[in-house]
Amino acid sequence: MSGDVAGGDGAAGTGPETGTKSRPGVFETWRQTPREAKALLAGVFVSKLAAFLQIFLVLFLTHRGFSAGQAGFALGVYGAGAVVGTAVGGWLSDRLTPRSATVISMMGSAGLIASLISITYYPVILLAVLLVSAVGQFYRPAAQSMITQLTPPDKLVMVTAMYMLCVNLGTTVAPLVGVALAQISYNLLFWAEALAVLAFGLIALVAFPKPERTSAAASTEEEEAPAEPAIRGRYLDVLKDYRYSLFMFAFFLQAVVYVQYTAALPLAIKAAGQSIWWYGALITMNAIICASCQMIATKFVQGWSIRVVQLVGFTLVALGYAMYAIEMLPVFLILGTLFWTLSEIIGVPTMFAYPGMIAPPHLRGRYFGAMQTMFGLGATVGPVLGVLLFQHVGQRVWLWMTLIEVVATVIGAIGIRRVTKPKPEAEPATPETVVEPPAGLAVDPTPQSATDRVT
């Protein structure tokens, strides 16, 4: 598992034989995306549109009479549950199926969210919060595993970008919807979220492929790939892939640095005497640019090699935080935010699709679960580390974060495998282009694959 994926480091499809076909656009990709994958994207959007619990948990508990400290601790428990849930979700996806893991996740979290309305005993509330967070995350490795299974390889990065867009749009709108519902009742708020995740569960139950059904992409993969081993995989098998383990460690460091925009950045802006309005403006700018530009950028980035995407994406984060280290002036705040926003636009779809490109089919869920768990750990550790560093070294925290990001960039480049980007399937030849062989000439009836052609 430690060797490279077959192929070179360059992007495929750059020659005259494929032309622009190597970079399918958004609408072309959407038209060719299987119905099951479209159902998955719709379900994710619906569930994120009503993702209220994490946002309003502190307000809900203080409204119920608990102290701010108790509410904050409950939010920490929620974060811990999310980290555990992604790891368990990867195991469930491989052990059962992505469809089963998603149904369990959505149906189970719907019931747990509804139960929070009537629970009054604080320890039981903590248990319910832990369970709803963990169970609610089971679907994440399963969803990306299913996207990999259902999507033709040359469109995987673009469909992953669509998945990220659904997540981002839903989480952007959710606070606005949640505030409106909370004005009426917190009970209504959580009932709405329970119904939304239940709807996703029903979509998974009805529209996701059952075990006996496979997509064209999955059938092709099974024909070309060796037979899956009879034994079940383990997370230990993922860790034995030492290059992927390096990549996951780099991803952990990346998350530690990246999440500082929610922790150290507002503190640094305030300490520099700048208006906190700038913080809100920077976050809004990031959201608008990502929502409007990520799909367009992915059309071009999907043709890049994986290592180039990783190097560019990680380097842009380092440059962005280096801008903050110069001075907390508006010009450097804007430039720095533009840099790490470009990193998000360029790197996120490819990096989140990468595990599906290199994972053995029987370990695909675990590969996604392991990467997402490391990102969750980084996002949990990052704010604590960032605040502590800021309290001790002040604005020099950005120099430390830039250094950590440089280390992550180097480690990630070592861990990334070379993956040949697949060429789009050739269109069937028209009758006018078919050349009949001369009479008496024997012709091998077996079609020649793209990898067998001599270019």
Side-chain angles (χ1 to χ4, degrees):
M1 295 176 65
S2 60
D4 283 349
V5 174
D9 197 28
T14 56
E17 184 179 4
T18 55
T20 57
K21 286 290 185 180
S22 64
R23 292 177 178 176
V26 178
F27 297 108
E28 178 187 351
T29 300
W30 178 255
R31 285 194 301 269
Q32 298 177 11
T33 298
R35 177 180 60 85
E36 294 90 345
K38 292 178 180 177
L40 170 60
L41 297 178
V44 168
F45 177 71
V46 169
S47 66
K48 291 299 179 183
L49 194 62
F52 305 132
L53 180 57
Q54 184 177 11
I55 302 170
F56 293 94
L57 181 61
V58 171
L59 292 175
F60 170 69
L61 291 179
T62 53
H63 173 76
R64 295 277 297 271
F66 295 101
S67 68
Q70 288 175 314
F73 184 76
L75 188 62
V77 169
Y78 184 96
V83 173
V84 174
T86 52
V88 176
W91 174 81
L92 275 177
S93 179
D94 289 338
R95 186 72 179 179
L96 303 176
T97 62
R99 175 179 181 267
S100 299
T102 304
V103 171
I104 292 171
S105 177
M106 295 299 104
M107 298 297 190
S109 58
L112 289 165
I113 291 169
S115 72
L116 280 171
I117 297 172
S118 57
I119 298 175
T120 58
Y121 187 46
Y122 183 68
V124 180
I125 288 178
L126 292 181
L127 177 61
V129 167
L130 178 68
L131 290 175
V132 73
S133 175
V135 174
Q137 297 301 311
F138 288 173
Y139 86 93
R140 289 181 59 200
Q144 293 206 257
S145 180
M146 184 173 294
I147 287 174
T148 305
Q149 174 188 341
L150 294 171
T151 305
D154 63 299
K155 297 177 177 62
L156 178 58
V157 174
M158 181 63 80
V159 176
T160 302
M162 293 178 180
Y163 171 83
M164 301 307 300
L165 180 64
C166 291
V167 172
N168 291 333
L169 285 178
T171 53
T172 299
V173 176
L176 304 177
V177 178
V179 167
L181 293 177
Q183 296 297 321
I184 302 172
S185 168
Y186 280 106
N187 288 357
L188 178 61
L189 187 77
F190 290 147
W191 276 119
E193 180 167 2
L195 290 174
V197 296
L198 180 63
F200 186 13
L202 293 174
I203 290 173
L205 196 62
V206 173
F208 287 9
K210 296 179 181 179
E212 66 271 17
R213 295 180 60 201
T214 57
S215 65
S219 299
T220 303
E221 180 184 35
E222 290 174 1
E223 291 173 3
E224 296 179 352
E228 295 184 14
I231 60 172
R232 298 281 185 180
R234 301 169 299 172
Y235 268 112
L236 182 60
D237 297 322
V238 179
L239 296 177
K240 287 179 180 178
D241 184 348
Y242 76 92
R243 293 188 66 174
Y244 189 67
S245 296
L246 284 176
F247 168 75
M248 288 193 297
F249 180 61
F251 212 60
F252 166 79
L253 295 177
Q254 163 84 344
V256 168
V257 174
Y258 182 79
V259 79
Q260 297 309 319
Y261 82 91
T262 66
L265 182 57
L267 296 176
I269 290 175
K270 185 177 180 180
Q274 299 292 340
S275 170
I276 200 65
W277 177 89
W278 280 107
Y279 178 68
L282 296 174
I283 301 305
T284 301
M285 180 180 71
N286 165 262
I288 292 174
I289 294 175
C290 287
S292 60
C293 298
Q294 189 167 68
M295 300 294 293
I296 298 172
T298 302
K299 174 179 170 61
F300 301 96
V301 172
Q302 65 185 330
W304 297 4
S305 76
I306 304 297
R307 183 173 283 113
V308 167
V309 175
Q310 182 267 329
L311 284 170
V312 172
F314 282 38
T315 300
L316 284 170
V317 174
L319 289 174
Y321 283 7
M323 290 292 104
Y324 295 162
I326 296 174
E327 190 70 42
M328 284 280 113
L329 294 175
V331 61
F332 296 118
L333 290 173
I334 293 172
L335 284 175
T337 304
L338 283 175
F339 276 128
W340 61 260
T341 298
L342 282 174
S343 168
E344 192 172 343
I345 291 172
I346 291 172
V348 166
T350 300
M351 290 297 96
F352 275 84
Y354 172 68
M357 299 176 186
I358 54 100
H362 69 289
L363 288 173
R364 189 177 288 145
R366 289 177 174 86
Y367 267 66
F368 279 116
M371 186 193 76
Q372 292 171 5
T373 298
M374 293 301 289
F375 187 85
L377 283 173
T380 302
V381 172
V384 177
L385 177 62
V387 171
L388 286 175
L389 274 175
F390 183 79
Q391 290 174 342
H392 285 84
V393 300
Q395 300 291 0
R396 283 179 294 171
V397 65
W398 303 114
L399 292 176
W400 281 100
M401 290 301 158
T402 301
L403 177 61
I404 293 173
E405 186 66 20
V406 170
V407 172
T409 303
V410 175
I411 294 175
I414 296 172
I416 285 283
R417 287 202 179 107
R418 292 179 293 174
V419 180
T420 297
K421 295 294 185 69
K423 297 180 181 180
E425 296 180 1
E427 297 181 2
T430 60
E432 289 76 15
T433 61
V434 176
V435 179
E436 295 293 338
L441 179 62
V443 178
D444 185 358
T446 305
Q448 192 179 27
S449 68
T451 56
D452 295 329
R453 298 191 186 100
V454 178
T455 56

